[in-house]
Structure formats: structure tokens, C-alpha cells
């Protein structure tokens, strides 16, 4: 026996593990900042999903043509050894992947799109890499179908603005910090 734990293991082996009393933890751990941030994200996703928004989970890698020419081109991070020419840069915003998803859906005849993504974007600032969490919203196509009491209506800025207001009030989200929104008309 070299250590104290070796003696404890031998006693447990001789008497059996059934004879070792178990310890029940009865205290609760205090809520952490990570717990609160996770709860906020769940509340945000739930708020959007119950109102007809579809969540996207897109790849963090984008093509060179989408990364160059951006307003903040110097902050775009390029992969040192990309596996494909279609995935050479880390996304600086959620706009490009959401637009790609929308383009595929609209090409397949989807008439109404309400897409959101909560994800990390990647930027270089002051010789270091930052990965802030962002929310991207995309509205395209019809806002409502035709019915006997109303005609069909295309999505517009006010549909997106209403959602932003809803997030600020119901989900207690500070949209200035996390929202990157773009309006698209089909």
C-alpha cells in the first residue's frame, strides 16, 4: 500500500461496496452566469419558435467571395489550411449563411420564410480573435397567406421590427447587443 486511497480500496473490496455508505448531496448549487446565459438563449429560441420562426444552424466556414469585400474586411479570419475552396474563411456575420439558406428554400418554392440563427461570428481585433454570440433574423416571401377575409401580404420591415420589439419586451433581450438583422424582399 503506497497511498491512503489504496487502503480505502482494499477495505471496500473486502467488505463489499454494498457496505460502504453513500453520500447524498442535499444542497443546491447557486446559479452561475453561464446558467443565466443559457436560460436566456433558451428563452430567446422558444420565443421565436412559438411564433413561427425556424431556427437554422449553419456552418461557420464560408467561401472567399463572401468574406472579401466586406465593410470590415481586415477583421475577416482566413483558414491557414482549408479543406475545401468552399470553406476558406470564418464567418464575420450571420448574414451570408442565412441568405444561402433562404436562396435554397426560395428556389424550391417555399413561399414564406422566417429564419433565425443564434451563433458565433469570428473577428480579429487588436491582434486577437473574438467570437461574439449573435442573433441573425431573416424574413422573406409572404408574411401571411390569402384567406377569405384578407389577401396575401409580402413580408416587410415592419414584420421584422415587430419581432425585434417582441424580443425586447417578452424575452428581455437587449437587441442592440445581439441583433444583426437584414430585410430581404423576394
Amino acid at each position: 500500500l503506497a497511498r491512503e486511497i489504496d487502503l480505502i480500496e482494499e477495505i471496500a473490496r473486502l467488505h463489499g461496496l454494498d457496505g460502504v455508505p453513500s453520500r447524498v448531496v442535499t444542497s443546491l448549487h447557486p446559479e452561475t452566469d453561464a446558467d443565466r446565459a443559457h436560460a436566456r438563449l433558451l428563452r430567446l429560441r422558444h420565443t421565436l419558435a412559438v411564433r413561427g420562426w425556424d431556427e437554422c444552424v449553419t456552418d461557420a466556414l464560408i467561401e472567399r467571395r463572401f468574406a472579401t469585400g466586406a465593410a470590415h474586411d481586415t477583421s475577416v479570419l482566413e483558414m491557414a489550411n482549408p479543406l475545401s475552396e468552399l470553406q476558406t474563411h470564418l464567418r464575420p456575420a450571420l448574414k451570408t449563411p442565412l441568405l444561402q439558406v433562404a436562396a435554397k428554400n426560395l428556389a424550391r418554392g417555399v413561399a414564406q420564410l422566417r429564419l433565425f440563427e443564434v451563433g458565433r461570428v469570428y473577428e480579429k481585433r487588436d491582434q486577437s480573435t473574438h467570437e461574439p454570440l449573435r442573433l441573425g433574423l431573416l424574413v422573406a416571401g409572404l408574411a401571411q397567406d390569402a384567406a377569405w377575409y384578407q389577401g396575401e401580404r409580402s413580408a416587410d420591415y415592419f414584420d421584422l421590427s415587430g419581432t425585434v420589439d417582441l424580443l425586447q419586451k417578452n424575452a428581455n433581450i437587449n437587441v442592440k447587443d445581439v441583433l444583426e438583422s437584414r430585410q430581404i424582399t423576394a
Side-chain angles (χ1 to χ4, degrees), residues 7-29:
L7 178 61
I8 294 170
E9 287 175 353
E10 287 299 318
I11 292 172
R13 188 179 62 79
L14 290 173
H15 291 287
L17 292 177
D18 293 337
V20 178
S22 63
R23 187 180 337 170
V24 177
V25 178
T26 58
S27 64
L28 296 175
H29 294 284

Side-chain angles (χ1 to χ4, degrees), residues 59 61-62 79-89:
D59 200 347
L61 296 170
I62 59 174
M79 300 294 294
N81 190 13
L83 296 175
S84 165
E85 289 185 18
L86 299 177
Q87 298 177 326
T88 58
H89 291 73

Side-chain angles (χ1 to χ4, degrees), residues 61-174:
L61 296 170
I62 59 174
E63 292 181 56
R64 178 182 319 276
R65 65 184 172 127
F66 295 124
T68 56
H72 47 289
D73 200 36
T74 58
S75 67
V76 176
L77 296 170
E78 185 174 0
M79 300 294 294
N81 190 13
L83 296 175
S84 165
E85 289 185 18
L86 299 177
Q87 298 177 326
T88 58
H89 291 73
L90 289 168
R91 64 183 178 195
L94 297 175
K95 175 179 61 170
T96 299
L98 282 175
L99 287 172
Q100 290 173 336
V101 170
K104 287 180 184 177
N105 279 282
L106 292 171
R108 287 172 176 77
V110 176
Q112 181 182 24
L113 282 177
R114 289 182 176 194
L115 304 174
F116 77 94
E117 181 174 8
V118 177
R120 299 230 175 256
V121 296
Y122 305 90
E123 51 194 35
K124 183 171 49 176
R125 280 188 267 139
D126 303 327
Q127 303 303 327
S128 63
T129 303
H130 296 274
E131 301 178 17
L133 191 63
R134 295 283 186 254
L135 168 65
L137 297 173
L138 184 140
V139 178
L142 296 177
Q144 62 191 28
D145 293 326
W148 64 270
Y149 58 90
Q150 67 186 8
E152 67 181 30
R153 183 178 65 81
S154 294
D156 59 11
Y157 169 78
F158 298 106
D159 294 310
L160 190 58
S161 178
T163 300
V164 170
D165 290 342
L166 173 83
L167 291 176
Q168 286 180 324
K169 291 177 185 171
N170 291 1
N172 200 18
I173 303 294
N174 185 357

